[in-house]
Amino acid sequence: MHAQHATAPRLFADRGCPFAHRVLALLEQLDLALELSESPVGQKPEGLEKWSPSGRIPLLVHGDVVIGESRVIMEYLAEAYAFESAYPSALVERTMHRHAMAIVDDFVTPRLFREDAIADARIEECLDVLQRVTDASRPVPCLLVFHLAPLWLRFKWWRPESAVTAAIARRKDLATWLDGATHLPAVQRTAPSRAEIEALRAELRSS
Ligand SMILES: N[C@@H](CCC(=O)N[C@@H](CS)C(=O)NCC(=O)O)C(=O)O
């Protein structure tokens, strides 16, 4: 057994955070024991400051490994625990998954938090990429699905009326694929409650 596996990973999370939800869904899929330090929406989990004085969430601590970036956390866990369906086996498809994950974080997600963050033309270009990837696959458990599903839930919960939510919804096949991803058991079981999400939505509206 690898030394890192002797202890359970420790995850610092917040009940509302879509990026923490990604990691929780993957851990659920892998059926891994974990030490979870989870705070209510908008607060910082106890003990986080020891590892991240600035309060980064999600944060994974596992032996010597300390990671504060959800995509890298998922890559690490997938490799450490041999998640065989993490990526498609073919290089081109695997690269397309990685490309989609990168552009969603760099361009689409900022629109979740600020309407004018990224121009519409750039969003459409990113959605073209996403559409090509989802057209070529089904929403089965893999890193792409765990990357996208928590975000799509938040787009629908927090910003149902926003231009970017509408732009995704107009692409019927893409929206159906994303809905399918949100219905996977590992995503559902680790999603926050409706009440918590409503509280965060109210907070976002007043900010
Ligand atoms: N790129 C990061 C984004 C994480 C992120 O933005 N987390 C939010 C909570 S949902 C946060 O910690 N914001 C407060 C901060 O950055 O200090 C990831 O994918 O892990």
Side-chain angles (χ1 to χ4, degrees):
M1 186 194 277
H2 192 289
Q4 294 282 40
H5 294 204
T7 56
R10 180 167 186 192
L11 182 70
F12 293 91
D14 152 336
R15 287 295 293 155
C17 176
F19 312 103
H21 187 187
R22 286 175 174 170
V23 180
L24 288 167
L26 173 62
L27 288 163
E28 173 77 18
Q29 179 68 36
L30 295 172
D31 198 19
L32 281 183
L34 87 149
E35 224 184 291
L36 179 62
S37 302
E38 194 176 53
S39 64
V41 164
Q43 294 177 27
K44 298 290 179 198
E46 215 172 300
L48 175 65
E49 66 287 349
K50 176 180 168 202
W51 304 99
S52 169
S54 74
R56 256 184 108 78
I57 285 180
L59 190 96
L60 184 96
V61 180
H62 194 206
D64 294 335
V65 171
V66 180
I67 316 169
E69 189 60 47
S70 63
R71 213 173 122 206
V72 182
I73 295 173
M74 291 205 301
E75 296 269 358
Y76 167 74
L77 291 171
E79 278 194 44
Y81 294 96
F83 180 29
E84 284 184 5
S85 63
Y87 285 110
S89 52
L91 174 63
V92 172
E93 284 155 31
R94 195 160 69 241
T95 304
M96 283 169 66
H97 277 216
R98 290 197 167 109
H99 185 204
M101 288 156 80
I103 60 172
V104 161
D105 276 2
D106 286 352
F107 301 108
V108 183
T109 304
R111 287 287 291 261
L112 179 61
F113 300 106
R114 252 194 51 210
E115 265 301 294
D116 60 347
I118 308 284
D120 286 344
R122 174 59 61 87
I123 294 291
E124 288 299 333
E125 194 178 313
C126 292
L127 296 185
D128 286 344
V129 171
L130 205 51
Q131 181 142 19
R132 276 197 292 279
V133 176
T134 53
D135 281 350
S137 63
R138 288 184 310 112
V140 291
C142 66
L143 295 192
L144 179 69
V145 154
F146 296 133
H147 191 91
L148 297 177
L151 286 174
W152 179 231
L153 277 177
R154 270 60 172 195
F155 274 108
K156 291 199 299 182
W157 287 336
W158 299 346
R159 303 280 189 220
E161 69 295 330
S162 78
V164 66
T165 310
I168 295 172
R170 269 195 302 278
R171 297 171 181 247
K172 298 261 182 286
D173 291 348
L174 173 58
T176 301
W177 192 101
L178 290 169
D179 284 341
T182 65
H183 287 115
L184 286 178
V187 175
Q188 288 286 317
R189 281 202 285 266
T190 49
S193 76
R194 180 96 204 167
E196 285 169 304
I197 286 306
E198 287 303 321
L200 188 56
R201 186 154 187 246
E203 201 178 290
L204 280 172
R205 275 186 172 146
S206 64
S207 65

